Amino acid sequence: MSDVRHVLVLPDRDAAEEVAGELADRFGIAEEPQLVRDALAGEDDAEDAQWLVVVEDPSGRLDSSALDAFAAEYEGWLEVP
């Protein structure tokens, strides 16, 4: 099985940092999630940037619907590949 990567989309940096910190507690993720600033196309205003939390899931054991529900608690969602 190939490595699975989950991308959670969050509305701002604070939410992304909180989600990244909570992931280990809630889902037992060993590897530190990666935070990526995702500026919306055509937007110059930094306030309009979304933040992505990239979670590597090499064993493919994380439940996508659980991750989506978790992200929704922070007004975010799980990006579907």
Side-chain angles (χ1 to χ4, degrees), residues 2 4 6 8-9 14 16 19-20 25 29 35 38 40 51 58-59 61-62 65-66 72-73 80:
S2 63
V4 178
H6 303 280
L8 303 175
V9 182
D14 289 344
V19 164
D25 294 339
I29 294 170
L35 269 61
D38 183 33
L40 300 176
W51 283 78
S59 57
R61 66 176 186 77
L62 296 173
S65 57
E73 294 175 25
V80 179

Side-chain angles (χ1 to χ4, degrees), residues 65-80:
S65 57
L67 285 169
D68 188 45
F70 174 61
E73 294 175 25
Y74 296 88
E75 298 178 19
W77 65 89
L78 175 68
E79 190 70 33
V80 179

Side-chain angles (χ1 to χ4, degrees), residues 1-6 31 55-62:
M1 180 173 186
S2 63
D3 286 2
V4 178
R5 175 178 288 161
H6 303 280
E31 208 171 306
V55 182
E56 299 295 337
D57 184 17
S59 57
R61 66 176 186 77
L62 296 173

Side-chain angles (χ1 to χ4, degrees), residues 16-45:
E17 288 177 344
E18 209 167 314
V19 164
E22 191 72 26
L23 278 165
D25 294 339
R26 192 160 322 181
F27 294 96
I29 294 170
E31 208 171 306
E32 185 73 24
Q34 182 182 355
L35 269 61
V36 180
R37 182 178 176 275
D38 183 33
L40 300 176
E43 295 292 337
D44 293 330
D45 187 357

